[in-house]
Every structure is written in structure tokens, then in C-alpha cells.
Amino acid sequence: MSLEQKFKESCEKLKGGALSHRPHDQELAELYGLYKQATVGDVNTAKPEGGDVAEQYKWETWAKRKGMSKEEAMEQYVSTFEKLSAK
């Protein structure tokens, strides 16, 4: 199976509720940042302003991956998902 297929499968499993527990907010934000880097590339929006701390944190987890390749982001996403699945 190719890396892209593994990535897509992991994304679908996460959306489908394949995990036996809800990941912590930090884990979800990490997955979000990796997903955005793999599918969009470097952050292309301004940091959210105002009181929405969750949206700011998600943006920051994406922004800290600036320059990371699509392939590296996919690899880390799959690895993180597998670790969460094993819990």
C-alpha cells in the first residue's frame, strides 16, 4: 500500500470513529496540523484573532510544520494515528 493510501485510510478511520477512545485535544490538534500540511502545504491563512483559543492552537500546530514536505506530514500523520490506535 502506498503512503498516500495509508494516509487516506488513516483519515477515514479517524473520521469513522475507529479509535476506542477520544484523543486528547492536543493529539487532535497535532493530527490537524499534519493533515493540513499534507493536504494544503504551508499555512496560508492569518492566525485567528479573538478569543477562540482552540482555533489559534490548531493554526499554530499547522504553522510550526512550515517547510515540511507533504510526504513527511503524511508519514507522521499515519504514525500518530497508529500510536493512538494502539492505546
Side-chain angles (χ1 to χ4, degrees), residues 4-87:
E4 193 158 340
Q5 289 171 322
K6 288 180 184 178
F7 173 72
K8 288 180 180 179
E9 184 178 280
S10 296
C11 292
E12 289 302 315
K13 286 181 178 180
L14 183 64
K15 287 181 195 174
L19 298 178
S20 61
H21 66 287
R22 183 184 184 284
H24 298 287
D25 291 342
Q26 181 180 0
E27 293 166 330
L28 289 172
E30 292 296 318
L31 286 169
Y32 173 84
L34 291 166
Y35 176 83
K36 293 295 278 188
Q37 189 68 24
T39 59
V40 176
D42 289 344
V43 68
N44 59 3
T45 60
K47 184 175 180 177
E49 299 292 327
D52 194 341
V53 176
E55 288 300 314
Q56 290 175 1
Y57 186 68
K58 285 171 40 180
W59 185 91
E60 289 169 359
T61 62
W62 179 17
K64 75 180 183 182
R65 289 169 172 76
K66 184 176 181 176
M68 180 184 282
S69 71
K70 174 182 179 174
E71 292 76 18
E72 178 68 19
M74 282 194 261
E75 287 174 5
Q76 287 188 24
Y77 185 99
V78 170
S79 175
T80 301
F81 177 78
E82 288 174 351
K83 286 177 188 172
L84 291 173
S85 295
K87 284 186 176 182

